[in-house]
Amino acid sequence: MAADYDIFDELARVKESVAKALDSAKKHGATSAEVSMSKQTGLSVSTRSREVETIEFNHDGALGISVYCGHRKGSSSTSDLSESAIESAVTAAISIAKHTSEDPFNGLADSELMATEIPDLDLYHPGSLEPQYAIDLALETEAAALDYSDAITYCDGASYNSHQGLRVYGNSHGLIAGYPSSRHSLSCVTIAEHEGEMERDYEYSVSRYPDRIDAPKYIGEQASKNTLARLGAKKLDTMTVPVVISSQLSAGFIGHLVSAIGGGSLYRKASFLLDKKGEQIFPDWLSIEEKPHLKGYLASTPFDHEGLATKDLTVIDQGTLASYLITSYAGRKLNMAPTGHAGGTHTWFVNHTVESQAALLKQMGTGLLVTDLMGSSVNIITGDYSRGAAGYWVENGVIQYPVHEITIAGNLQDLYKNIVAISDDADLRKSTLCGSILLEEMKVAGN
């Protein structure tokens, strides 16, 4: 199947369709317009109980069109790229724009901010789309998980996904740019039972490169190890103790910052970091750098969803909030320059202070290592944070036993300032690369 699909021919065809849509918008009287399309071809296979459960192929995508008639905006889409279908979609968007209210902040981003060079970020590495190849990987993963220990009572599924696609963006400033990309993953979920209580855990691997995902044997066995380590979990009494948030979760913990400094939250005055730019919100040793042009990384991109050129950015400078994350619409409302974050953030690097999680646990001494979070009660307006959690109780820097059915809580304004240390074990499967985080203390609610 992969041999019959030339991504670069497809990229050229989509660029032509985008150009036709822009020409049509101009012909029908739009003041300005932007057109984007993401298209994907891929295969997903899952197995359960050593049998194939699902095989899914996909080949989809739609052309999204937004036109501006003055400050009025209309949008439509079409998956049919024929000239007549594109023409119909454009006229539909024009009609919608004429019936919407004016918004003085609507419009394209400024032309001088558009990407002018599209670097090759090494994002495209297609893999096999043959079903049998994917089936073999999933079955091998599941077998490794089930054969690891008799205590593993059930495998809740193994899955392999391989997708390749493209993204094209164009607007009436004259920009039409695009690039291909790929993504491959292998995962496994296992269940074990101990004294009438069941525990489950998982393992997964993801990469732009098909030959860089972890081996099926490793994924299966690690999923089982993770599950077995949770057996015999105990509850804790309610207390206030130091807490380590594992590197598998730290990206999400830091990720609440993204919502709080995003333009949408700021102009709605719905952020605990409103008017905090230039103020210290983390310890003075902590910095966060965004690097969108690293080759092969999962969150790398040459331009954002408005066509703005992406560039390196210091988000946190020695504990100080150095930048908000602003789209052109939010920028007009806030009287700020856009930062190239339409569509989200790019690769973030959070610096570390110790070399390993083991060193971090030793520094903590006695406290809680959190390895799983459930549910979500995070108020970005106030910073109040409360999550169901599970993990391990630690004494003298050594894990003693697993714990579950607890809740950790605090306020992000305090928690961010009270980060004590970060280890050098960032999870490369995430877009925010941050090691395990040691917090001075958190409220732990248990018995």
Side-chain angles (χ1 to χ4, degrees):
M1 182 175 177
D4 299 329
Y5 179 73
D6 190 315
I7 194 80
F8 296 102
D9 287 347
E10 188 79 353
L11 186 64
R13 286 192 292 269
V14 172
K15 284 183 176 181
E16 289 178 5
S17 297
V18 168
K20 289 176 182 176
L22 291 170
D23 289 342
S24 178
K26 181 178 181 180
K27 181 181 69 175
H28 286 284
T31 308
S32 59
E34 56 186 342
V35 181
S36 63
M37 184 169 193
S38 293
K39 201 164 187 180
Q40 183 172 265
T41 295
L43 169 69
S44 298
V45 168
S46 64
T47 62
R48 193 185 304 268
S49 301
R50 301 182 191 261
E51 294 184 355
V52 178
E53 185 173 56
T54 61
I55 300 175
E56 297 180 358
F57 288 99
N58 73 288
H59 182 66
D60 49 35
L63 195 74
I65 301 163
S66 291
V67 300
Y68 300 92
C69 297
H71 292 297
R72 301 176 188 269
K73 179 182 178 180
S75 299
S76 66
S77 65
T78 177
S79 56
D80 182 349
L81 299 187
S82 66
E83 287 194 31
S84 60
I86 292 173
E87 186 85 1
S88 295
V90 169
T91 55
I94 294 282
S95 177
I96 292 169
K98 290 178 178 178
H99 290 87
T100 58
S101 300
E102 287 202 10
D103 184 339
F105 305 108
N106 272 338
L108 303 178
D110 293 344
S111 59
E112 62 268 20
L113 300 176
M114 294 295 107
T116 55
E117 296 182 6
I118 311 301
D120 179 6
L121 300 182
D122 197 32
L123 305 181
Y124 180 63
H125 297 273
S128 172
L129 296 180
E130 292 299 328
Q132 192 58 52
Y133 174 79
I135 290 169
D136 291 344
L137 283 179
L139 287 173
E140 186 179 348
T141 302
E142 192 178 12
L146 290 168
D147 294 342
Y148 181 75
S149 169
D150 291 339
I152 297 297
T153 56
Y154 185 64
C155 182
D156 202 26
S159 63
Y160 175 76
N161 298 275
S162 180
H163 291 87
Q164 55 188 354
L166 58 87
R167 179 171 165 247
V168 174
Y169 174 86
N171 63 31
S172 47
H173 288 321
L175 171 68
I176 298 179
Y179 58 89
S181 64
S182 59
R183 188 181 182 96
H184 316 276
S185 65
L186 182 63
S187 63
C188 184
V189 180
T190 56
I191 297 174
E193 186 176 351
H194 176 73
E195 296 181 353
E197 292 191 0
M198 301 182 73
E199 295 288 350
R200 62 183 284 157
D201 213 320
Y202 66 95
E203 183 61 36
Y204 75 99
S205 180
V206 60
S207 178
R208 298 280 188 189
Y209 310 81
D211 57 348
R212 293 188 187 179
I213 60 173
D214 291 326
K217 181 177 175 61
Y218 172 83
I219 296 292
E221 291 186 349
Q222 193 62 44
S224 293
K225 287 180 183 179
N226 294 343
T227 299
L228 293 173
R230 297 176 66 142
L231 291 176
K234 302 177 182 179
K235 298 180 182 179
L236 294 175
D237 292 332
T238 295
M239 62 184 78
T240 299
V241 292
V243 169
V244 168
I245 296 179
S246 71
S247 59
Q248 290 82 7
L249 305 174
S250 60
F253 182 73
I254 294 294
H256 298 304
L257 175 68
V258 176
S259 299
I261 64 176
S265 296
L266 297 174
Y267 71 69
R268 295 184 185 95
K269 300 188 182 301
S271 169
F272 70 93
L273 293 178
L274 184 67
D275 299 324
K276 297 292 186 182
K277 185 178 177 182
E279 295 187 18
Q280 186 169 342
I281 63 172
F282 286 98
D284 59 12
W285 53 264
L286 193 154
S287 295
I288 299 177
E289 301 286 340
E290 182 174 68
K291 296 184 179 295
H293 293 169
L294 295 172
K295 291 193 173 184
Y297 277 63
L298 292 169
S300 291
T301 182
F303 54 86
D304 77 349
H305 287 194
E306 296 183 302
L308 271 69
T310 52
K311 57 185 179 181
D312 289 357
L313 177 72
T314 298
V315 181
I316 302 294
D317 185 10
Q318 297 182 325
T320 298
L321 178 57
S323 179
Y324 287 131
L325 309 178
I326 307 296
T327 63
S328 61
Y329 182 86
R332 294 185 188 107
K333 298 202 76 162
L334 295 166
N335 195 28
M336 296 180 183
T339 57
H341 288 93
T345 59
H346 319 302
T347 308
W348 279 18
F349 285 87
V350 183
N351 65 316
H352 63 274
T353 58
V354 298
E355 294 306 310
S356 66
Q357 188 186 88
L360 200 67
L361 296 180
K362 185 176 180 180
Q363 183 174 344
M364 177 176 70
T366 296
L368 176 67
L369 168 62
V370 176
T371 58
D372 193 19
L373 291 170
M374 291 81 70
S376 181
S377 179
V378 183
N379 189 325
I380 295 301
I381 300 175
T382 63
D384 289 338
Y385 179 95
S386 178
R387 301 285 303 274
Y392 300 90
W393 183 249
V394 177
E395 293 179 1
N396 298 318
V398 179
I399 291 175
Q400 300 298 309
Y401 52 82
V403 297
H404 65 174
E405 296 181 15
I406 56 176
T407 299
I408 58 173
N411 186 281
L412 288 171
Q413 296 184 76
D414 301 325
L415 296 174
Y416 282 166
K417 285 183 178 179
N418 293 328
I419 293 176
V420 176
I422 298 177
S423 55
D424 185 17
D425 61 336
D427 188 341
L428 299 179
R429 301 170 297 185
K430 312 291 187 181
S431 59
T432 295
L433 303 182
C434 177
S436 300
I437 297 173
L438 171 58
L439 299 166
E440 184 176 7
E441 64 179 25
M442 287 189 81
K443 180 80 169 182
V444 179
N447 291 324

